[in-house]
Protein backbone atom coordinates (compact mmCIF):
# COMPACT_ATOMS: atom_id res chain seq x y z
CA UNK A 1 0.00 0.00 0.00
CA UNK A 2 2.82 2.31 0.92
CA UNK A 3 4.65 1.41 -2.27
CA UNK A 4 1.58 2.07 -4.40
CA UNK A 5 0.99 5.44 -2.71
CA UNK A 6 4.62 6.44 -3.20
CA UNK A 7 4.50 5.39 -6.85
CA UNK A 8 1.34 7.48 -7.38
CA UNK A 9 2.97 10.52 -5.81
CA UNK A 10 6.04 10.14 -8.01
CA UNK A 11 3.83 9.81 -11.08
CA UNK A 12 1.94 12.98 -10.19
CA UNK A 13 5.22 14.79 -9.58
CA UNK A 14 6.57 13.67 -12.98
CA UNK A 15 3.37 14.81 -14.69
CA UNK A 16 3.59 18.24 -13.06
CA UNK A 17 7.28 18.54 -13.87
CA UNK A 18 6.68 17.50 -17.48
CA UNK A 19 3.85 20.01 -17.80
CA UNK A 20 6.04 22.76 -16.37
CA UNK A 21 8.84 21.96 -18.81
CA UNK A 22 6.41 22.08 -21.71
CA UNK A 23 5.05 25.42 -20.49
CA UNK A 24 8.57 26.87 -20.30
CA UNK A 25 9.20 25.89 -23.93
CA UNK A 26 6.02 27.66 -24.96
CA UNK A 27 7.25 30.80 -23.21
CA UNK A 28 10.69 30.82 -24.81
CA UNK A 29 12.36 29.42 -21.69
CA UNK A 30 14.42 26.28 -22.15
CA UNK A 31 15.51 24.02 -19.34
CA UNK A 32 19.26 23.54 -19.34
CA UNK A 33 19.24 19.76 -18.92
CA UNK A 34 22.00 17.24 -19.61
CA UNK A 35 21.47 17.54 -23.36
CA UNK A 36 21.85 21.32 -23.39
CA UNK A 37 25.06 22.98 -24.61
CA UNK A 38 25.30 25.07 -21.43
CA UNK A 39 24.64 22.23 -18.98
CA UNK A 40 28.31 21.78 -17.99
CA UNK A 41 28.86 25.53 -17.65
CA UNK A 42 25.78 26.10 -15.49
CA UNK A 43 26.68 23.16 -13.24
CA UNK A 44 30.08 24.76 -12.64
CA UNK A 45 28.40 28.11 -12.02
CA UNK A 46 26.19 26.52 -9.36
CA UNK A 47 29.09 24.78 -7.66
CA UNK A 48 31.17 27.94 -7.68
CA UNK A 49 28.35 30.14 -6.46
CA UNK A 50 27.54 27.75 -3.62
CA UNK A 51 31.13 27.96 -2.33
CA UNK A 52 31.33 31.74 -2.85
CA UNK A 53 28.09 32.39 -0.95
CA UNK A 54 29.15 29.97 1.78
CA UNK A 55 32.10 32.29 2.39
CA UNK A 56 29.84 35.28 3.07
CA UNK A 57 27.24 33.54 5.27
CA UNK A 58 29.40 33.77 8.39
CA UNK A 59 31.06 37.12 7.73
CA UNK A 60 31.17 39.39 10.81
CA UNK A 61 29.44 42.76 10.98
CA UNK A 62 31.73 45.57 9.94
CA UNK A 63 31.75 48.75 7.93
CA UNK A 64 32.80 48.31 4.33
CA UNK A 65 36.26 49.52 3.43
CA UNK A 66 37.88 50.47 0.15
CA UNK A 67 39.63 47.10 0.22
CA UNK A 68 36.23 45.36 0.20
CA UNK A 69 35.40 47.07 -3.09
CA UNK A 70 38.71 45.95 -4.60
CA UNK A 71 38.70 42.41 -3.26
CA UNK A 72 38.94 39.34 -5.48
CA UNK A 73 38.66 35.85 -4.02
CA UNK A 74 39.65 32.82 -6.09
CA UNK A 75 38.33 29.38 -5.23
CA UNK A 76 39.79 26.31 -6.95
CA UNK A 77 37.40 23.51 -7.85
CA UNK A 78 38.07 20.17 -9.49
CA UNK A 79 37.38 21.25 -13.06
CA UNK A 80 37.48 25.05 -12.90
CA UNK A 81 38.33 28.18 -10.95
CA UNK A 82 35.87 30.81 -9.80
CA UNK A 83 36.74 34.39 -8.96
CA UNK A 84 34.35 36.46 -6.87
CA UNK A 85 34.72 40.23 -7.01
CA UNK A 86 33.80 42.49 -4.07
CA UNK A 87 32.01 39.58 -2.38
CA UNK A 88 31.53 41.36 0.96
CA UNK A 89 30.07 44.41 -0.75
CA UNK A 90 27.46 42.40 -2.64
CA UNK A 91 26.65 40.37 0.49
CA UNK A 92 25.97 43.66 2.28
CA UNK A 93 23.82 44.85 -0.59
CA UNK A 94 21.82 41.62 -0.66
CA UNK A 95 21.06 41.92 3.02
CA UNK A 96 20.25 45.59 2.60
CA UNK A 97 17.67 44.56 0.00
CA UNK A 98 16.10 42.17 2.48
CA UNK A 99 17.37 38.75 1.40
CA UNK A 100 19.39 36.29 3.46
CA UNK A 101 22.48 34.54 2.18
CA UNK A 102 20.73 31.21 2.70
CA UNK A 103 17.75 32.04 0.47
CA UNK A 104 20.06 33.55 -2.15
CA UNK A 105 22.14 30.37 -2.12
CA UNK A 106 19.07 28.15 -2.27
CA UNK A 107 17.68 29.96 -5.31
CA UNK A 108 20.96 29.96 -7.25
CA UNK A 109 22.24 26.55 -6.24
CA UNK A 110 19.18 24.33 -5.99
CA UNK A 111 19.18 20.92 -7.68
CA UNK A 112 16.72 22.24 -10.27
CA UNK A 113 18.19 23.21 -13.61
CA UNK A 114 18.72 26.78 -14.72
CA UNK A 115 16.57 28.07 -17.55
CA UNK A 116 17.90 29.66 -20.71
CA UNK A 117 16.05 32.78 -21.75
CA UNK A 118 16.11 33.46 -25.47
CA UNK A 119 16.17 37.23 -25.73
CA UNK A 120 15.41 39.34 -28.81
CA UNK A 121 18.14 41.71 -27.66
CA UNK A 122 21.01 42.53 -30.04
CA UNK A 123 23.41 41.72 -27.21
CA UNK A 124 25.57 38.62 -27.65
CA UNK A 125 25.28 37.87 -23.94
CA UNK A 126 23.89 34.60 -22.64
CA UNK A 127 20.94 34.87 -20.27
CA UNK A 128 20.26 32.25 -17.61
CA UNK A 129 17.39 32.28 -15.17
CA UNK A 130 17.16 30.47 -11.85
CA UNK A 131 14.52 27.76 -11.76
CA UNK A 132 12.26 29.92 -9.56
CA UNK A 133 12.77 32.78 -12.08
CA UNK A 134 13.90 35.13 -9.32
CA UNK A 135 17.47 35.87 -10.49
CA UNK A 136 19.12 36.42 -13.86
CA UNK A 137 22.69 35.40 -14.62
CA UNK A 138 24.10 37.23 -17.61
CA UNK A 139 27.49 36.90 -19.25
CA UNK A 140 29.32 40.22 -19.68
CA UNK A 141 32.47 41.42 -21.37
CA UNK A 142 35.57 42.19 -19.35
CA UNK A 143 35.17 45.87 -20.18
CA UNK A 144 31.62 45.92 -18.81
CA UNK A 145 32.69 44.18 -15.60
CA UNK A 146 35.56 46.62 -15.14
CA UNK A 147 33.14 49.52 -15.56
CA UNK A 148 30.75 48.12 -12.94
CA UNK A 149 33.51 47.45 -10.41
CA UNK A 150 35.05 50.88 -11.00
CA UNK A 151 31.75 52.57 -10.15
CA UNK A 152 30.48 50.01 -7.64
CA UNK A 153 30.87 52.32 -4.65
CA UNK A 154 28.90 55.06 -6.42
CA UNK A 155 26.21 52.53 -7.35
CA UNK A 156 25.87 51.18 -3.80
CA UNK A 157 25.82 54.67 -2.31
CA UNK A 158 23.05 55.60 -4.73
CA UNK A 159 20.92 52.60 -3.70
CA UNK A 160 21.50 53.45 -0.07
CA UNK A 161 20.49 57.05 -0.54
CA UNK A 162 17.53 56.18 -2.77
CA UNK A 163 16.29 52.78 -1.58
CA UNK A 164 13.47 52.76 -4.15
CA UNK A 165 15.78 53.40 -7.09
CA UNK A 166 14.63 51.92 -10.38
CA UNK A 167 18.16 50.73 -11.21
CA UNK A 168 18.42 46.97 -11.56
CA UNK A 169 19.85 45.35 -8.44
CA UNK A 170 23.23 43.72 -9.10
CA UNK A 171 23.88 41.00 -6.53
CA UNK A 172 27.18 39.44 -7.54
CA UNK A 173 30.07 39.63 -10.03
CA UNK A 174 32.09 36.52 -10.90
CA UNK A 175 34.53 35.05 -13.41
CA UNK A 176 34.70 31.34 -14.18
CA UNK A 177 37.81 29.86 -15.79
CA UNK A 178 37.97 26.35 -17.26
CA UNK A 179 41.43 24.83 -17.92
CA UNK A 180 42.36 25.33 -21.59
CA UNK A 181 39.07 27.20 -21.86
CA UNK A 182 37.85 30.75 -22.11
CA UNK A 183 37.24 32.94 -19.07
CA UNK A 184 33.62 33.93 -18.70
CA UNK A 185 32.54 36.94 -16.67
CA UNK A 186 28.98 36.99 -15.41
CA UNK A 187 26.76 38.98 -13.12
CA UNK A 188 23.84 37.95 -10.95
CA UNK A 189 20.95 40.39 -10.81
CA UNK A 190 17.42 40.51 -9.54
CA UNK A 191 14.77 39.92 -12.18
CA UNK A 192 12.62 43.01 -12.67
CA UNK A 193 9.70 40.81 -13.74
CA UNK A 194 9.42 38.67 -10.60
CA UNK A 195 7.02 37.14 -9.80
CA UNK A 196 5.78 37.03 -13.40
CA UNK A 197 2.42 35.32 -13.00
CA UNK A 198 -0.33 37.07 -14.97
CA UNK A 199 2.02 39.56 -16.63
CA UNK A 200 0.30 40.48 -19.89
CA UNK A 201 2.96 42.47 -21.74
CA UNK A 202 6.64 43.30 -21.41
CA UNK A 203 8.40 46.29 -22.93
CA UNK A 204 12.00 47.45 -23.39
CA UNK A 205 11.89 51.25 -23.63
CA UNK A 206 14.70 53.53 -24.82
CA UNK A 207 12.70 56.64 -25.68
CA UNK A 208 13.44 56.61 -29.44
CA UNK A 209 11.97 55.27 -32.68
CA UNK A 210 14.65 53.75 -34.93
CA UNK A 211 14.59 49.92 -34.62
CA UNK A 212 12.10 50.20 -31.77
CA UNK A 213 9.34 47.93 -33.07
CA UNK A 214 9.04 44.19 -32.41
CA UNK A 215 6.52 41.95 -34.09
CA UNK A 216 4.11 40.85 -31.33
CA UNK A 217 3.44 37.18 -30.67
CA UNK A 218 0.37 35.81 -32.50
CA UNK A 219 -2.91 36.21 -30.66
CA UNK A 220 -3.38 33.43 -28.15
CA UNK A 221 0.34 32.57 -28.14
CA UNK A 222 2.08 32.25 -24.79
CA UNK A 223 5.55 32.93 -26.14
CA UNK A 224 7.31 35.71 -24.23
CA UNK A 225 8.08 38.60 -26.59
CA UNK A 226 9.67 41.75 -25.19
CA UNK A 227 8.09 44.62 -27.09
CA UNK A 228 9.59 48.07 -27.70
CA UNK A 229 8.78 51.77 -27.75
CA UNK A 230 6.64 51.87 -30.88
CA UNK A 231 4.60 48.90 -29.64
CA UNK A 232 3.60 50.99 -26.63
CA UNK A 233 2.22 53.93 -28.62
CA UNK A 234 -1.36 54.79 -27.66
CA UNK A 235 -0.92 53.31 -24.16
CA UNK A 236 -0.18 54.91 -20.81
CA UNK A 237 1.38 54.00 -17.49
CA UNK A 238 -1.61 54.94 -15.34
CA UNK A 239 -0.54 55.65 -11.78
CA UNK A 240 -2.53 58.77 -10.86
CA UNK A 241 -1.05 60.24 -7.67
CA UNK A 242 2.01 57.95 -7.81
CA UNK A 243 3.03 59.35 -11.19
CA UNK A 244 4.95 62.22 -9.57
CA UNK A 245 7.03 59.74 -7.60
CA UNK A 246 7.92 57.72 -10.68
CA UNK A 247 8.95 60.79 -12.69
CA UNK A 248 11.10 62.09 -9.86
CA UNK A 249 12.83 58.79 -9.20
CA UNK A 250 13.47 58.27 -12.91
CA UNK A 251 14.99 61.74 -13.09
CA UNK A 252 17.30 60.97 -10.15
CA UNK A 253 18.41 57.60 -11.54
CA UNK A 254 19.05 58.80 -15.08
CA UNK A 255 20.97 61.81 -13.74
CA UNK A 256 23.36 59.38 -12.06
CA UNK A 257 23.83 57.55 -15.36
CA UNK A 258 24.41 60.88 -17.11
CA UNK A 259 27.17 61.70 -14.64
CA UNK A 260 28.70 58.27 -15.29
CA UNK A 261 28.69 59.12 -19.04
CA UNK A 262 26.35 56.20 -19.78
CA UNK A 263 23.75 55.80 -22.56
CA UNK A 264 21.74 53.08 -24.32
CA UNK A 265 20.19 51.71 -21.12
CA UNK A 266 16.61 50.48 -21.14
CA UNK A 267 13.56 51.00 -18.98
CA UNK A 268 11.93 47.60 -18.57
CA UNK A 269 8.17 47.80 -18.14
CA UNK A 270 5.56 45.09 -17.58
CA UNK A 271 1.83 45.20 -16.92
CA UNK A 272 -0.17 42.90 -14.69
CA UNK A 273 -3.91 43.45 -14.25
CA UNK A 274 -5.26 43.83 -10.76
CA UNK A 275 -8.16 41.62 -9.75
CA UNK A 276 -11.59 43.07 -10.42
CA UNK A 277 -12.39 43.67 -6.75
CA UNK A 278 -9.08 45.53 -6.30
CA UNK A 279 -9.66 48.17 -8.96
CA UNK A 280 -10.62 51.78 -8.27
CA UNK A 281 -10.37 51.29 -4.52
CA UNK A 282 -9.45 54.12 -2.24
CA UNK A 283 -5.71 53.95 -1.72
CA UNK A 284 -5.98 54.01 2.04
CA UNK A 285 -3.35 52.19 4.03
CA UNK A 286 -5.87 49.51 4.97
CA UNK A 287 -7.17 48.89 1.44
CA UNK A 288 -3.62 48.62 0.10
CA UNK A 289 -2.97 45.78 2.54
CA UNK A 290 -5.99 43.83 1.29
CA UNK A 291 -5.28 44.65 -2.35
CA UNK A 292 -1.64 43.63 -2.31
CA UNK A 293 -2.30 40.49 -0.31
CA UNK A 294 -4.90 39.29 -2.82
CA UNK A 295 -3.06 40.22 -5.99
CA UNK A 296 0.54 39.34 -5.28
CA UNK A 297 0.72 36.67 -2.65
CA UNK A 298 -2.69 35.16 -1.92
CA UNK A 299 -2.99 33.18 1.27
CA UNK A 300 -0.15 34.88 3.12
CA UNK A 301 0.06 37.69 5.62
CA UNK A 302 1.42 40.95 4.24
CA UNK A 303 4.36 42.76 5.75
CA UNK A 304 3.76 46.47 6.25
CA UNK A 305 6.33 49.00 5.25
CA UNK A 306 5.68 51.85 2.83
CA UNK A 307 4.09 52.72 -0.52
CA UNK A 308 5.04 55.63 -2.81
CA UNK A 309 2.59 58.50 -2.82
CA UNK A 310 0.63 57.27 0.18
CA UNK A 311 1.08 58.64 3.68
CA UNK A 312 0.17 56.04 6.32
CA UNK A 313 -1.91 56.76 9.39
CA UNK A 314 -0.23 58.84 12.05
CA UNK A 315 0.15 55.88 14.41
CA UNK A 316 2.13 53.89 11.83
CA UNK A 317 5.80 53.66 12.71
CA UNK A 318 8.01 55.03 9.99
CA UNK A 319 11.77 54.94 9.61
CA UNK A 320 13.82 57.93 10.66
CA UNK A 321 16.20 58.83 7.86
CA UNK A 322 19.82 59.29 8.76
CA UNK A 323 21.57 62.50 7.76
CA UNK A 324 23.80 62.35 4.74
CA UNK A 325 27.20 61.52 6.18
CA UNK A 326 28.90 59.67 3.38
CA UNK A 327 29.09 55.97 2.81
CA UNK A 328 28.20 53.86 5.86
CA UNK A 329 26.62 50.71 4.49
CA UNK A 330 27.66 47.84 6.75
CA UNK A 331 27.51 44.11 6.42
CA UNK A 332 24.79 42.45 8.53
CA UNK A 333 22.86 45.66 9.03
CA UNK A 334 19.98 45.33 11.50
CA UNK A 335 17.73 48.10 10.25
CA UNK A 336 14.50 46.91 8.65
CA UNK A 337 14.03 50.17 6.75
CA UNK A 338 16.63 51.73 4.45
CA UNK A 339 17.62 55.24 5.56
CA UNK A 340 18.50 58.31 3.55
CA UNK A 341 15.42 58.97 1.39
CA UNK A 342 15.99 62.67 0.81
CA UNK A 343 17.01 63.82 -2.62
CA UNK A 344 20.05 65.99 -3.27
CA UNK A 345 19.71 69.72 -3.51
CA UNK A 346 16.19 69.95 -2.08
CA UNK A 347 14.93 72.21 0.65
CA UNK A 348 13.31 70.91 3.83
CA UNK A 349 9.78 70.95 2.39
CA UNK A 350 10.98 69.26 -0.79
CA UNK A 351 12.77 66.58 1.19
CA UNK A 352 9.66 65.90 3.25
CA UNK A 353 7.60 65.56 0.09
CA UNK A 354 10.18 63.26 -1.49
CA UNK A 355 10.26 61.05 1.60
CA UNK A 356 6.48 60.81 1.55
CA UNK A 357 6.55 59.85 -2.13
CA UNK A 358 9.04 57.08 -1.36
CA UNK A 359 6.89 55.30 1.19
CA UNK A 360 5.72 51.84 0.19
CA UNK A 361 3.65 48.93 1.29
CA UNK A 362 5.58 45.78 0.52
CA UNK A 363 3.83 42.41 0.82
CA UNK A 364 5.52 39.04 1.22
CA UNK A 365 7.06 39.60 -2.18
CA UNK A 366 10.69 38.95 -2.98
CA UNK A 367 11.06 41.76 -5.48
CA UNK A 368 9.04 44.69 -4.12
CA UNK A 369 11.33 47.51 -5.21
CA UNK A 370 10.35 47.20 -8.88
CA UNK A 371 6.58 47.03 -8.27
CA UNK A 372 4.22 50.02 -8.45
CA UNK A 373 0.44 49.80 -8.30
CA UNK A 374 -1.95 51.93 -10.32
CA UNK A 375 -5.73 51.92 -10.01
CA UNK A 376 -6.17 49.04 -12.49
CA UNK A 377 -2.69 47.71 -13.28
CA UNK A 378 0.36 46.60 -11.37
CA UNK A 379 3.55 47.77 -13.09
CA UNK A 380 7.00 46.21 -12.93
CA UNK A 381 9.60 48.88 -13.75
CA UNK A 382 13.40 48.82 -13.74
CA UNK A 383 16.43 50.29 -15.53
CA UNK A 384 18.85 47.75 -17.03
CA UNK A 385 21.95 47.59 -19.29
CA UNK A 386 23.88 50.47 -17.73
CA UNK A 387 27.34 49.60 -19.09
CA UNK A 388 27.56 51.50 -22.39
CA UNK A 389 29.89 54.51 -22.10
CA UNK A 390 29.72 57.41 -24.55
CA UNK A 391 33.15 56.72 -26.02
CA UNK A 392 34.79 58.11 -29.15
CA UNK A 393 33.42 55.11 -31.04
CA UNK A 394 29.89 55.91 -29.87
CA UNK A 395 30.32 59.51 -30.95
CA UNK A 396 31.24 58.32 -34.44
CA UNK A 397 28.21 56.02 -34.38
CA UNK A 398 26.04 59.02 -33.44
CA UNK A 399 27.38 60.94 -36.44
CA UNK A 400 26.76 58.02 -38.80
CA UNK A 401 23.20 57.47 -37.56
CA UNK A 402 22.49 61.19 -37.86
CA UNK A 403 23.30 60.94 -41.55
CA UNK A 404 21.41 57.67 -42.04
CA UNK A 405 18.26 58.63 -40.09
CA UNK A 406 17.83 62.40 -40.54
CA UNK A 407 15.04 63.83 -38.41
CA UNK A 408 14.47 60.55 -36.54
CA UNK A 409 15.39 59.62 -32.97
CA UNK A 410 17.80 56.74 -32.35
CA UNK A 411 19.53 55.31 -29.30
CA UNK A 412 23.08 56.60 -29.78
CA UNK A 413 23.01 60.15 -28.47
CA UNK A 414 24.90 61.93 -25.71
CA UNK A 415 24.18 60.84 -22.11
CA UNK A 416 22.54 64.20 -21.43
CA UNK A 417 20.23 63.91 -24.42
CA UNK A 418 19.55 60.25 -23.65
CA UNK A 419 18.41 60.75 -20.06
CA UNK A 420 16.36 63.83 -20.95
CA UNK A 421 14.61 61.99 -23.77
CA UNK A 422 13.81 58.89 -21.70
CA UNK A 423 12.36 61.02 -18.89
CA UNK A 424 10.30 62.92 -21.45
CA UNK A 425 9.03 59.64 -22.91
CA UNK A 426 7.79 58.45 -19.51
CA UNK A 427 6.21 61.84 -18.84
CA UNK A 428 4.38 61.70 -22.18
CA UNK A 429 3.26 58.10 -21.66
CA UNK A 430 2.11 58.26 -18.06
CA UNK A 431 -0.85 59.80 -16.33
Amino acid sequence: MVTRTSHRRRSVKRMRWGGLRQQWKLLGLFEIDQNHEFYSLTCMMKEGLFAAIQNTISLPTNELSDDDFRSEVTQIHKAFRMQTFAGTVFASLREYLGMTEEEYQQSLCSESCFLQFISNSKSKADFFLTNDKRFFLKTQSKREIQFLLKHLKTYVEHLRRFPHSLLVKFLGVHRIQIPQGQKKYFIVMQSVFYPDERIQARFDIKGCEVSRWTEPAPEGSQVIVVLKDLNFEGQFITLEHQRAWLLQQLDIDTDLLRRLNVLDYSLLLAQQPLHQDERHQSLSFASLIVRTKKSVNPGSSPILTCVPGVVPDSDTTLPSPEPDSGFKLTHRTTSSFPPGLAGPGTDEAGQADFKAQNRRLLPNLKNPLHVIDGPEQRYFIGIIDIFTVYSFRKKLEHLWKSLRHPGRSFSTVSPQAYCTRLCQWVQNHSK
Side-chain angles (χ1 to χ4, degrees):
M1 183 67 176
V2 175
T3 304
R4 186 176 299 173
T5 302
S6 300
H7 178 73
R8 186 183 301 114
R9 287 175 179 170
R10 285 195 297 270
S11 297
V12 171
K13 187 175 182 180
R14 280 196 298 269
M15 289 175 63
R16 288 176 178 172
W17 182 245
L20 185 58
R21 292 175 66 180
Q22 183 63 26
Q23 184 180 17
W24 283 338
K25 289 181 180 180
L26 288 173
L27 297 176
L29 296 174
F30 297 88
E31 183 191 45
I32 302 177
D33 58 17
Q34 294 182 1
N35 299 318
H36 198 287
E37 61 175 318
F38 289 127
Y39 180 73
S40 177
L41 173 63
T42 55
C43 285
M44 288 187 283
M45 283 180 167
K46 282 187 180 183
E47 182 182 338
L49 286 167
F50 185 91
I53 300 167
Q54 200 66 31
N55 267 358
T56 60
I57 286 178
S58 57
L59 284 178
T61 301
N62 55 8
E63 188 170 315
L64 294 175
S65 66
D66 289 340
D67 287 340
D68 291 322
F69 286 88
R70 292 191 293 263
S71 73
E72 178 182 335
V73 175
T74 300
Q75 293 175 303
I76 301 175
H77 299 265
K78 185 176 180 179
F80 65 97
R81 293 187 177 197
M82 174 87 96
Q83 285 82 33
T84 299
F85 300 93
T88 304
V89 176
F90 285 108
S92 300
L93 183 57
R94 293 192 291 267
E95 186 178 36
Y96 192 63
L97 296 173
M99 67 184 71
T100 67
E101 293 298 274
E102 289 80 6
E103 66 177 311
Y104 181 65
Q105 186 183 62
Q106 173 60 32
S107 182
L108 285 171
C109 309
S110 71
E111 293 182 0
S112 303
C113 297
F114 282 169
L115 308 175
Q116 182 186 18
F117 175 64
I118 306 300
S119 169
N120 54 346
S121 167
K122 293 180 180 178
S123 169
K124 296 181 180 179
D126 296 313
F127 294 85
F128 307 128
L129 196 58
T130 54
N131 196 268
D132 59 6
K133 298 191 281 188
R134 184 177 176 185
F135 301 112
F136 262 106
L137 295 88
K138 180 183 177 185
T139 58
Q140 304 280 173
S141 69
K142 182 178 180 179
R143 177 192 60 78
E144 291 168 332
I145 293 297
Q146 289 174 336
F147 176 83
L148 175 58
L149 294 175
K150 177 181 178 182
H151 298 290
L152 181 58
K153 189 171 184 179
T154 300
Y155 169 78
V156 174
E157 286 177 333
H158 182 82
L159 294 189
R160 184 182 187 277
R161 193 172 188 188
F162 305 105
H164 301 301
S165 168
L166 301 171
L167 296 180
V168 67
K169 308 306 183 290
F170 297 115
L171 304 174
V173 175
H174 307 272
R175 177 178 62 202
I176 190 167
Q177 182 177 4
I178 306 167
Q180 289 82 46
Q182 184 181 8
K183 296 178 182 178
K184 278 190 177 290
Y185 292 86
F186 68 95
I187 58 173
V188 182
M189 55 187 175
Q190 204 165 10
S191 173
V192 174
F193 300 151
Y194 176 83
D196 66 351
E197 290 80 8
R198 300 190 303 107
I199 286 181
Q200 290 187 330
R202 296 166 172 81
F203 296 88
D204 178 301
I205 302 298
K206 292 183 181 289
C208 57
E209 56 183 337
V210 173
S211 299
R212 301 307 297 166
W213 167 267
T214 293
E215 195 63 35
E219 188 174 352
S221 171
Q222 294 184 330
V223 175
I224 294 176
V225 176
V226 180
L227 304 172
K228 297 181 180 179
D229 303 58
L230 296 180
N231 299 97
F232 196 82
E233 287 306 307
Q235 302 181 58
F236 291 91
I237 305 168
T238 305
L239 296 173
E240 295 185 347
H241 68 282
Q242 297 192 69
R243 177 176 180 264
W245 174 85
L246 174 63
L247 294 176
Q248 186 171 21
Q249 188 60 59
L250 180 64
D251 183 64
I252 290 169
D253 290 332
T254 55
D255 184 66
L256 170 70
L257 299 178
R258 177 193 61 79
R259 287 185 277 115
L260 294 178
N261 201 35
V262 167
L263 71 156
D264 212 26
Y265 42 90
S266 296
L267 184 75
L268 285 187
L269 170 66
Q271 304 163 330
Q272 180 193 79
L274 295 174
H275 293 300
Q276 188 63 38
D277 62 345
E278 298 172 322
R279 301 181 181 185
H280 304 292
Q281 293 189 43
S282 170
L283 288 181
S284 68
F285 203 49
S287 67
L288 278 167
I289 297 173
V290 176
R291 172 190 193 164
T292 312
K293 180 178 177 181
K294 286 182 180 179
S295 186
V296 180
N297 204 15
S300 64
S301 300
I303 298 173
L304 302 186
T305 56
C306 308
V307 61
V310 175
V311 180
D313 297 334
S314 58
D315 59 349
T316 303
T317 302
L318 292 173
S320 299
E322 295 177 357
D324 271 331
S325 54
F327 183 76
K328 291 185 179 179
L329 180 60
T330 60
H331 185 59
R332 299 292 182 264
T333 178
T334 58
S335 172
S336 60
F337 292 98
L341 299 179
T346 56
D347 56 23
E348 187 173 340
Q351 289 184 9
D353 178 65
F354 183 75
K355 293 169 190 172
Q357 290 290 339
N358 268 275
R359 295 173 183 167
R360 291 198 177 200
L361 176 145
L362 308 181
N364 281 343
L365 175 62
K366 299 300 184 183
N367 188 27
L369 298 181
H370 290 295
V371 176
I372 307 175
D373 271 6
E376 296 190 0
Q377 297 269 358
R378 168 165 290 128
Y379 296 95
F380 296 77
I381 303 178
I383 298 174
I384 64 165
D385 296 339
I386 61 173
F387 301 119
T388 303
V389 175
Y390 195 49
S391 60
F392 179 71
R393 180 180 177 181
K394 283 293 177 182
K395 292 176 182 178
L396 290 179
E397 185 178 331
H398 167 77
L399 178 61
W400 176 75
K401 287 185 177 180
S402 298
L403 298 173
R404 185 180 180 185
H405 306 290
R408 301 184 67 195
S409 59
F410 45 84
S411 61
T412 310
V413 294
S414 72
Q416 176 63 61
Y418 196 94
C419 76
T420 300
R421 188 175 64 190
L422 183 61
C423 289
Q424 187 64 51
W425 188 96
V426 175
Q427 185 169 346
N428 293 343
H429 293 82
S430 62
K431 60 183 181 180

